[in-house]
Amino acid sequence: MHFELNEEQKLIRKMVRDFAENEVKPIAQEVDREHRFPVETFRKMAKLGFFGLPFPEEYGGMGADSVSYAIALEEISRACGSTAITFIAQTSLAASPIYRFGNEEQKRKYLVPLARGEKIGSFGLTEPEAGSDAGATRTTAVLDGDEWVINGQKIFITNGSIADIVVFTAKTDPARGTHGISSFIVEKGTPGFRPGRDEDKMGLRGSITSELFFEDCRIPKENLLGSEGEGFKQFLITLDAGRIGIGAMALGLAQAAFEAALKYSKEREQFGQPICNFQAVQWMLADMATEIDAARLMVYRAAWLKDQGVHFTKEAAMAKLYASEVAERVCFKAIQIHGGYGYTREYEVERIYRDQRLCTIGEGTSEIQRLVIARVLLGL
Amino acid sequence: MNSIVCIKQVPDTEIRIEIEDGRVVEERLQYVINPYDEYALEEALRLREKFGEGRVTVLTLGPERAREAIMQALAVGADEAIHLADEAFQGGDAYATAKALAEAIVRLDLEYDIILCGKQGVDHDNAQVGIALAEMLNLPHVSVVTGLEVAADKSKATARREVEEGKEVVETPLPAVITAQKGLNEPRYPTFTGIRAARKKPIHRKTAAELGIDPKVVGAAGAKLEIVSLSSPPERSAGRIIPGSPVEACRELVRLLREEAKVV
Ligand SMILES: Cc1cc2nc3c(=O)[nH]c(=O)nc-3n(C[C@H](O)[C@H](O)[C@H](O)COP(=O)(O)OP(=O)(O)OC[C@H]3O[C@@H](n4cnc5c(N)ncnc54)[C@H](O)[C@@H]3O)c2cc1C
């Protein structure tokens, strides 16, 4: 057993850290405050190849392993949560199912521009009536000649209103329950497909989360992803891997909050000395560092298992559950250590606290993670 | 346009250097490419792109760990690297290092139109290797360069230098040694495909024996200088926060600058 990153993983961490510190972090506070999607950051990341990280070179990617991808997400999150969720939606959620389940033509047409970041991608699973119970999809797809006719609504879709390419689920056979769900690809501008409003969120305010509407929207027959009736299975697989991403995001946000608190504790003086001299503060810092370390090991291990090609459903759910709950506790303490200053917008821990809050909700709530873990444990 | 870029791996400037028993504690350090060398590398890449031909060769003298810096340079876009990795090259001063680099360039018969170095290493701050290297290779040398233009026929270059209160523009025949200053360019980030490609690029590891270099003229044995002591700068005293409204605080600041610090 060894716990060291390999040469390539180290190079990737260094490169992403440099990029994140110089290009992403300096505007993190601004995009949050202004509620602005930083398209310039998206373009810079595209040029460097971020969005193709896990895909083979022939599809415009790098073919990096999952550990490298987790590291890249962790480092981007350490600078800005909004940028991380945009990255996740593009790569883990939109491009990845096309890579896994798409045919050659779909990969050429949709995966390549997504991997290169020439197009913005998005993944529409959640609906007003289908959140944790994502199998309860009400959106329908009916084949009419050479076209699918789509009707329905999606909600909370990251990158939704700005996406050029949306992968989404709909019922093709309502009688067959979850076996009657299929996945499709729709392009921006297709008649009958339109974004609704963008959410006004607590955090991740530099990312876009939208409603999507389908009203007799016609898409070509060949835009079905994989086979009919496979949609449910497909998104379970997509979310398994996606959870490693949310785990890495929580980890990076926790790390950022911890570093800010550590620094502040050395600078802030009360009772004639830096507050890091007080054991109460030291214990908070020690707990934060310990929990982050455990979370990091879990996230990297889940990614490593995926790279080994073995089952990782349970470990990915555990990593996501644990890392996201660690982020909550670490950010809570980071603000505590900052005192009143931490409660103001002047200090980044306030933003990080709001940003990390999504991590126990998105891609399956903590409760759903526990359900997934228990199912594996009990063989259900 | 063929370039040789001399790259040194140095401790990250953001990390505190600890000194124990007159020696830098290396174990806790993190290393990076010397920042000025990054400008040199970027300039070489731009020249290769501008001329649409040629190779960028990285030349590094350093221990095993310097491989990390070499990999980074290859990931950013250098074509190949020569790593002078031998105990015999270690522990030298600027003279001995320049000697090893010059010998390697000559003995490997490297083809080059230009040699680019950082203006100084941010570890020992000698700012001598590039200059000494030029001397040893009998080449012209322009130091602390912030702008570079190479003639289409590659016979000469025009270099811009910042001097006290002004700019100096000089012309030099090529090949020449140029040392890079901040401002020369904005170094790029490696791309992910660049990182992947780096694995397949050649790194030629060379010992003194392989190059036919007398180990007595390089490294610690060849050094002219000896570091006799090393100590950390004195601790800076803590800053002071002047309370009050901006107007009051400014007034107090000016008073303190005048009466206590006596600088205005
Ligand atoms: C910022 C943001 C970005 C998002 N991006 C996307 C995206 O890109 N694509 C997409 O498809 N979706 C996206 N989502 C949606 C997200 O995946 C859902 O919000 C999430 O799955 C939870 O669904 P819900 O909001 O409907 O909550 P609900 O399912 O209504 O859950 C409410 C509560 O009930 C609990 N609960 C529900 N069922 C059970 C159960 N069986 N046992 C125990 N407890 C249960 C939940 O854990 C939770 O505490 C995003 C959401 C947000 C906030």
Side-chain angles (χ1 to χ4, degrees):
Chain A
M1 178 165 232
H2 64 99
F3 289 95
E4 243 209 317
L5 300 180
N6 67 31
E7 194 167 55
E8 186 171 286
Q9 290 160 349
K10 280 188 203 159
L11 277 173
I12 287 176
R13 187 171 63 185
K14 162 105 177 76
M15 175 264 192
V16 180
R17 180 169 292 192
D18 286 348
F19 173 79
E21 278 177 3
N22 296 329
E23 315 284 337
V24 182
K25 192 171 177 190
I27 58 167
Q29 293 290 82
E30 182 247 314
V31 299
D32 172 66
R33 205 169 32 238
E34 307 292 325
H35 200 180
R36 176 176 81 84
F37 174 76
V39 67
E40 71 277 20
T41 302
F42 187 92
R43 294 214 180 97
K44 286 180 197 167
M45 289 175 74
K47 247 180 78 189
L48 293 170
F50 271 90
F51 304 121
L53 208 49
F55 311 116
E57 286 172 43
E58 56 180 312
Y59 298 118
M62 175 199 182
D65 57 14
S66 304
V67 174
S68 298
Y69 180 55
I71 292 169
L73 270 171
E74 177 190 350
E75 292 296 335
I76 291 291
S77 309
R78 186 168 160 265
C80 171
S82 295
T83 307
I85 196 78
T86 304
F87 181 12
I88 287 176
Q90 174 86 3
T91 302
S92 299
L93 297 183
S96 156
I98 300 175
Y99 170 58
R100 278 173 170 278
F101 313 116
N103 57 36
E104 192 55 31
E105 207 184 309
Q106 289 167 336
K107 286 184 199 173
R108 293 266 154 246
K109 190 165 172 197
Y110 299 113
L111 174 59
V112 172
L114 288 175
R116 292 200 182 128
E118 294 157 357
K119 296 270 169 76
I120 297 180
S122 160
F123 177 69
L125 175 66
T126 306
E127 298 182 7
E129 320 293 332
S132 297
D133 184 11
T137 300
R138 295 201 176 170
T139 299
T140 55
V142 178
L143 194 59
D144 178 25
D146 278 346
E147 290 173 328
W148 292 99
V149 184
I150 318 289
N151 278 289
Q153 179 189 352
K154 299 285 173 182
I155 192 170
F156 297 143
I157 308 307
T158 305
N159 294 348
S161 64
I162 53 167
D164 303 294
I165 298 164
V166 181
V167 175
F168 69 96
T169 51
K171 277 217 152 107
T172 40
D173 188 351
R176 296 192 62 221
T178 54
H179 294 285
I181 297 175
S182 307
S183 310
F184 300 89
I185 303 167
V186 65
E187 290 179 52
K188 182 184 197 160
T190 306
F193 169 59
R194 67 174 176 87
R197 71 189 164 93
D198 292 339
E199 298 296 337
D200 186 6
K201 305 189 295 297
M202 168 185 184
L204 303 176
R205 295 177 62 82
S207 77
I208 285 171
T209 316
S210 332
E211 294 175 317
L212 298 175
F213 292 99
F214 298 91
E215 284 153 7
D216 291 326
C217 168
R218 291 178 164 266
I219 57 172
K221 196 176 164 191
E222 59 269 20
N223 280 22
L224 174 73
L225 194 58
S227 319
E228 224 180 296
E230 302 249 288
F232 189 73
K233 211 172 77 194
Q234 289 170 350
F235 77 67
L236 287 185
I237 294 172
T238 302
L239 292 182
D240 264 352
R243 280 170 192 147
I244 301 173
I246 299 283
M249 175 178 165
L251 180 59
L253 287 164
Q255 179 70 30
F258 166 71
E259 285 172 23
L262 184 71
K263 179 160 174 280
Y264 187 81
S265 75
K266 293 194 252 183
E267 290 166 358
R268 173 69 174 169
E269 293 195 1
Q270 284 294 278
F271 299 95
Q273 54 188 312
I275 58 167
C276 68
N277 284 1
F278 303 125
Q279 198 179 41
V281 173
Q282 291 176 1
W283 285 23
M284 279 198 266
L285 290 168
D287 284 344
M288 291 156 87
T290 305
E291 290 199 307
I292 290 172
D293 208 37
R296 179 169 292 115
L297 289 173
M298 289 179 82
V299 169
Y300 288 9
R301 182 193 52 173
W304 178 82
L305 284 172
K306 177 165 183 282
D307 288 330
Q308 304 309 305
V310 296
H311 278 292
F312 64 94
T313 300
K314 182 184 74 184
E315 287 77 8
M318 285 175 163
K320 194 264 188 194
L321 169 65
Y322 187 72
S324 60
E325 300 202 339
V326 162
E328 170 72 25
R329 289 195 289 272
V330 165
C331 288
F332 178 90
K333 291 189 179 113
I335 289 184
Q336 198 65 18
I337 289 172
H338 278 73
Y341 298 93
Y343 196 64
T344 68
R345 301 245 151 143
E346 284 292 300
Y347 284 82
E348 60 175 354
V349 285
E350 180 270 345
R351 167 180 54 83
I352 300 170
Y353 195 33
R354 287 184 285 108
D355 282 355
Q356 65 78 31
R357 193 64 189 82
L358 178 271
C359 297
T360 64
I361 298 170
E363 297 197 41
T365 61
S366 286
E367 293 68 39
I368 296 302
Q369 303 310 318
R370 289 186 169 92
L371 196 120
V372 169
I373 296 164
R375 273 191 189 145
V376 178
L377 294 176
L378 297 166
L380 298 175
Chain B
M1 185 81 198
N2 294 314
S3 313
I4 296 173
V5 185
C6 301
I7 282 179
K8 183 179 192 185
Q9 192 190 38
V10 297
D12 193 333
T13 44
E14 289 186 6
I15 299 227
R16 239 184 76 139
I17 307 268
E18 296 168 59
I19 294 173
E20 268 172 35
D21 305 328
R23 192 185 74 88
V24 174
V25 185
E26 294 206 356
E27 293 69 40
R28 285 193 285 272
L29 290 181
Q30 273 174 38
Y31 292 90
V32 295
I33 294 182
N34 177 40
Y36 295 109
D37 301 353
E38 289 191 294
Y39 302 119
L41 175 61
E42 176 64 32
E43 200 62 19
L45 297 174
R46 290 188 188 192
L47 287 172
R48 186 188 63 192
E49 280 156 12
K50 187 177 154 209
F51 284 87
E53 47 85 20
R55 294 178 72 74
V56 174
T57 305
V58 165
L59 179 56
T60 295
L61 184 159
E64 276 318 307
R65 59 167 161 75
R67 185 185 152 88
E68 235 173 81
I70 291 174
M71 286 300 289
Q72 266 173 47
L74 295 174
V76 181
D79 297 289
E80 62 181 320
I82 295 155
H83 185 181
L84 303 182
D86 188 347
E87 211 32 59
F89 293 126
Q90 299 298 314
D93 59 358
Y95 176 86
T97 300
K99 182 76 183 159
L101 299 176
E103 289 285 339
I105 290 170
V106 171
R107 287 169 194 261
L108 290 167
D109 202 11
L110 297 181
E111 275 181 43
Y112 59 89
D113 301 297
I114 195 166
I115 299 177
L116 290 144
C117 304
K119 71 159 177 146
Q120 70 192 74
V122 298
D123 48 359
H124 290 287
D125 285 330
N126 280 318
Q128 287 186 30
V129 170
I131 304 168
L133 178 63
E135 189 62 25
M136 289 167 184
L137 294 171
N138 200 20
L139 292 176
H141 163 255
V142 190
S143 65
V144 199
V145 167
T146 55
L148 188 69
E149 210 73 56
V150 172
D153 66 356
K154 294 183 274 192
S155 68
K156 60 180 184 196
T158 310
R160 213 172 38 248
R161 315 179 61 239
E162 313 269 323
V163 290
E164 193 77 32
E165 317 229 326
K167 277 197 177 70
E168 185 180 86
V169 177
V170 299
E171 209 176 85
T172 171
L174 290 182
V177 177
I178 303 288
T179 65
Q181 162 71 314
K182 185 179 163 88
L184 176 59
N185 50 46
E186 194 54 55
R188 70 194 69 185
Y189 299 98
T191 63
F192 290 108
T193 41
I195 289 175
R196 176 47 58 85
R199 286 207 299 210
K200 295 178 207 131
K201 292 177 178 173
I203 301 178
H204 311 284
R205 293 167 51 88
K206 297 288 175 195
T207 61
E210 282 169 330
L211 291 167
I213 299 175
D214 178 358
K216 287 197 286 298
V217 303
V218 293
K224 309 270 186 200
L225 304 181
E226 191 191 342
I227 296 173
V228 289
S229 95
L230 208 56
S231 56
S232 303
E235 288 275 338
R236 255 198 313 180
S237 52
R240 204 147 111 202
I241 292 173
I242 302 170
S245 74
V247 175
E248 286 164 15
C250 282
R251 199 169 290 139
E252 177 64 4
L253 175 65
V254 172
R255 189 190 68 79
L256 288 172
L257 288 173
R258 199 170 270 152
E259 293 171 17
E260 251 179 52
K262 299 199 167 62
V263 291
V264 287

